[in-house]
Amino acid sequence: MSRALVHLLGVLWVCWWLASTGEAQTEYLRYKDPKQPVATRIKDLMSRMTVEEKIGQMVQIDRSVANAKVMKTSFIGSVLSGGGSEPLPKATAEDWVNMINEFQKGALESRLGIPMIYGIDAVHGHNNVYNATIFPHNVGLGCTRDPDLAQRIGAATALEVRATGIPYVFAPCIAVCRDPRWGRCYESYSEDAKIVQEMTAIIPGLQGSIPANSRKGFPYVGGKTKVAACAKHFVGDGGTVKGVNENNTLIDWHGLLSIHMPAYSDSIIKGVSTVMVSYSSWNGVKMHANRDLVAGFLKNTLKFKGFVISDWQGIDRITSPPDSNYTYSVQASIEAGVDMVMVPFKYDEFIQDLTLLVKSNIIPMERIDDAVERILLVKFTMGLFENPLADTSLVNELGSQEHRDLAREAVRKSLVLLKNGKNESTPLLPLPKKVPKVLVAGSHADNLGYQCGGWTIKWQGFNGNSDTRGTTILSAIKSAVDPSTEVVYRDNPDNEFVKSNNFEYAIVVVGEPPYAETAGDSTTLIMMESGPNVINNVCGTVKCVVVIISGRPIVIEPYVSTIDALVAAWLPGTEGQGVTDVLFGDYGFTGKLARTWFKSVDQLPMNVGDPHYDPLYPFGFGLTTESVKDLVARSTSASIGVRASIFTIMVTLFIGLYLTGMLVILSLYIMSLFFTY
């Protein structure tokens, strides 16, 4: 009897255990239910999270130290690729997707299965990735004055980024560069705040246009073909003293609001998902520790509801020297309002320090909750919980012909014609395609790396033609001219070579080498060493057009008188045909300077409206030309008009003569009658 009872109790216990386990396994999790409002999902998930899980969400690490185990055990919220950080050299879209999914699977295996968000710099197209379409840098796009073009570039960039499984980009840069000596000036659309504001149209291109009933300041990402964007770098990074990168911006409150802040307000209205803080300082206060501007103005006044992210090791630079008091840097940045911290490598130290600060009640739990709620809001909004894993359905979007055609359009619209002919009556452009022989010269004519500039494949850019796919300006010239035209290329021809070859004209392509950030800071703003020599040797002997490849205005005034035609091509990217489209007149020049072109670096800083304004070429300057097609049409129309006028005159004269003759005959008849009688 007792044995039977024990057996029965055992069976009942097993049944109860199985039933209770089944209930646990089928427990309703509101945060996983896409039918629930986002606010409900966030509240439910937050109620389940430990302090460690919350702090993990605030951490972004570089892919080089990420793996599935780290993602699972440290609850990492985000992974990024720094400049040039890739799965393997010339990685395919599939290689990227596979790598990112491995990290994501680790995140999904954590206790609550919160997906991580992968971020990458895509500042002029998907610039870290082999075979991607590289668009002109912002300095050129600003000269187009075309927000619709910026939006279309944003949409194309989003597709190429999603093709590699990435849902988040650190773009656009909405700095207002006030001094071209700054090494990041090419990342700025203009010295003028209004142009930068207008070009925030790239955000709805990247993210999708916000619905009509959207609440101000809330992030928006419109599905699997769009990405979360990041407005950067908050705020005043383009106004540092003498253009020194990461330095101090000295400006009053009114100046900060009127010059550097307007594009942020516009970005928030457009639903930008994230904002990145600047390395720089405002009147001596590091932006990564500026609670008044980040927590106060950005979050409370401008009502930004997405998350604020630090720059790469940005919190380390709060102290001088950097990383001299890391615990203080962690405290100062989190208290200032930074929500996600880009700690590419030493994430363990950051997690330990922040955990200690929270458990010691130095940083209140409310601040941690605010940061995590913002991060989760972006993740829920972009559908990351429903679609955490990437697929290969969009791989054909990477470097597609449609996107390359768009980049080519952007190139030709961004070029600014600064001079056309040594006198107005004899313009050199457009160039004839059918001539016996032409010279192409200069260090930048056949160098895709120089053409693309920094932030292309590698952080500092590259030299040569093998690191990605595109069309150099030399290749574009050879394709554009008539098959009978001989194209001769010399990097740095001497004067005798130019004289002895009887060239019809020359195209000289010179400029700056690639650079990024501090490496690009320059007090002299001179072109590469061979440039002046090539200009003097070529343009002193044969009719020449000089094409400047640069991230900003550079010293050109000493050579202008020698040059027949001068074109600012900025950093056009992979589609060199956009340059030849306007040189040979398939399209006309339409670009207008979005930056002042100085005579001498001694004038800097000098921006439109300054009392000492005395530029070589003023803000807004740009000669226009008609396409050959339009010129021919106008000429034909004029010719038809002339022929019509001649015909009218002849008919009038004939009628006049005819009428005159009739009058003479009538007079003679009357006279004959008179004399008869």
Side-chain angles (χ1 to χ4, degrees), residues 482-495:
D482 188 86
S484 65
T485 299
E486 182 185 356
V487 177
V488 178
Y489 172 63
R490 290 291 186 277
D491 180 353
N492 189 3
D494 60 34
N495 189 259

Side-chain angles (χ1 to χ4, degrees), residues 401-415:
Q401 191 56 50
E402 182 181 354
H403 296 163
R404 292 185 183 278
D405 291 343
L406 175 61
R408 182 173 177 173
E409 176 190 346
V411 173
R412 61 177 176 256
K413 288 182 174 178
S414 68
L415 303 189

Side-chain angles (χ1 to χ4, degrees), residues 240-260:
T240 58
V241 175
K242 296 183 179 179
V244 175
N245 191 42
E246 303 182 16
N247 206 20
N248 192 22
T249 297
L250 294 173
I251 195 170
D252 62 19
W253 178 239
H254 172 74
L256 190 74
L257 286 183
S258 61
I259 295 173
H260 299 286

Side-chain angles (χ1 to χ4, degrees), residues 70 172 178:
V70 166
R178 304 289 285 176

